[in-house]
Amino acid sequence: STDPPSLKVFIKRCTIMRTSKIIGGIACYLILASGPQAPARTFTSSDGRTLEAEISNVRGDDVVLKVGIKTYTVPKSRLSEADQKYIEEWLVNRKKNLVPDLEIEINSGKNNRSDRKDSFDDKMGSFNFTIKIENEEQGFDLEDAKAFLVVLGEDCDFDDNYVVMQKESFKVSVKEGDTLEWKGPEVSYKYDDSAPSYWGHVYYGYLFVIKNASGKVIYAKSSKPKFNDHIVKGLNLRLKQAVDKTLKPTGRSVYTYF
């Protein structure tokens, strides 16, 4: 992007008509819009010159203004007080509503094995989550967001019954282009999923949600498709609570070995 040579240049673009006129010695390119245009505003410089544009981004002390397919980087200080206030309001609304481009890697660290110290049929398992969050949204720092992890175990005795094996939450602040890595505590468990005795719970899957500082969900994932429609509801579950396949509490009392 480059600085506009003069804020009194007014440019509008579209695909139907291409004409140029000379208005007061200033070239004005009119291209009639073939479809709806993004909201535009007439920005005014501190010395009274104007430019009709829309905000594309805000980077530090500069605002990136979009005029048609071109962008111009302008110091906010060069614009009127009203425009500077408008830019700050735009920035606040963007932080509230933007769903940023995040690259997220979730590793459960699951490990199941036989418990040779106890009984031939009994088994042991563990998981230890590592989550990496990379902010790929250009010109945007994710600040004061919060992540939630709910880990579910499958009941070895009852089909389509599960229990909350772990609940964690942590703050997420990631600058543009940076990566945050979070490592949770290890959880160990015992179970028996073979005849004649069935007991305990074995790691099954997880729910992961990120909410921004305003409480808006900006990322939600389930490792199991059956829970996709119930991810956010799962955040209200309690540790060691028994639930069905819709994550509705069953009210059952369960013995847990973790």
Side-chain angles (χ1 to χ4, degrees):
S1 60
T2 57
D3 289 336
S6 170
L7 282 174
K8 62 184 177 181
V9 177
F10 168 74
I11 301 174
K12 242 186 179 180
R13 299 182 179 273
C14 76
T15 58
I16 297 178
M17 177 187 289
R18 293 189 176 98
T19 63
S20 65
K21 300 179 180 180
I22 301 298
I23 302 179
I26 301 172
C28 180
Y29 299 92
L30 299 175
I31 309 176
L32 300 180
S34 61
Q37 296 289 304
R41 173 184 174 87
T42 300
F43 289 87
T44 305
S45 68
S46 54
D47 59 0
R49 292 174 294 175
T50 62
L51 173 71
E52 186 166 332
E54 59 183 283
I55 298 177
S56 174
N57 210 338
V58 177
R59 298 191 178 113
D61 294 331
D62 296 329
V63 59
V64 181
L65 299 178
K66 183 178 180 182
V67 181
I69 61 173
K70 292 185 178 181
T71 59
Y72 302 99
T73 300
V74 180
K76 289 186 287 186
S77 60
R78 284 178 56 188
L79 299 174
S80 68
E81 290 186 11
D83 286 338
Q84 292 183 43
K85 182 178 179 181
Y86 174 80
I87 292 168
E88 292 306 312
E89 291 173 350
W90 179 91
L91 197 56
V92 169
N93 289 330
R94 185 182 190 226
K95 288 182 177 180
K96 285 183 179 179
N97 299 311
L98 178 68
V99 177
D101 184 9
L102 302 176
E103 182 69 27
I104 298 181
E105 179 184 327
I106 302 175
N107 187 345
S108 69
K110 180 187 70 172
N111 181 25
N112 290 336
R113 58 197 179 278
S114 297
D115 183 5
R116 299 188 180 276
K117 293 182 180 179
D118 191 349
S119 159
F120 181 77
D121 287 337
D122 293 351
K123 297 177 182 177
M124 298 178 64
S126 66
F127 53 84
N128 190 5
F129 273 77
T130 300
I131 300 175
K132 295 181 180 180
I133 303 171
E134 182 179 357
N135 180 7
E136 297 186 341
E137 186 69 35
Q138 293 186 357
F140 180 80
D141 295 338
L142 181 60
E143 298 174 337
D144 300 324
K146 193 171 185 179
F148 303 85
L149 174 69
V150 177
V151 182
L152 298 168
E154 185 176 28
D155 195 310
C156 293
D157 195 20
F158 295 92
D159 292 339
D160 285 330
N161 274 253
Y162 310 91
V163 71
V164 179
M165 300 183 79
Q166 185 181 30
K167 279 196 72 175
E168 303 287 345
S169 64
F170 57 94
K171 291 184 178 180
V172 178
S173 292
V174 194
K175 293 186 178 298
E176 175 190 359
D178 287 353
T179 300
L180 178 148
E181 181 172 339
W182 175 86
K183 191 173 183 65
E186 183 177 25
V187 175
S188 299
Y189 52 91
K190 289 187 177 183
Y191 66 100
D192 190 342
D193 59 355
S194 58
S197 177
Y198 297 92
W199 55 268
H201 300 83
V202 61
Y203 170 85
Y204 185 71
Y206 64 83
L207 315 172
F208 184 67
V209 173
I210 300 177
K211 294 183 178 182
N212 67 13
S214 301
K216 176 184 175 69
V217 174
I218 58 173
Y219 183 89
K221 179 182 180 181
S222 169
S223 62
K224 299 293 184 179
K226 68 169 66 177
F227 298 138
N228 283 348
D229 294 332
H230 316 289
I231 297 175
V232 177
K233 181 171 66 175
L235 301 185
N236 298 320
L237 299 176
R238 302 188 310 273
L239 186 64
K240 299 189 177 183
Q241 189 170 25
V243 297
D244 63 16
K245 63 183 179 181
T246 66
L247 300 184
K248 180 181 178 180
T250 63
R252 290 179 55 243
S253 297
V254 295
Y255 291 100
T256 56
Y257 301 87
F258 54 86

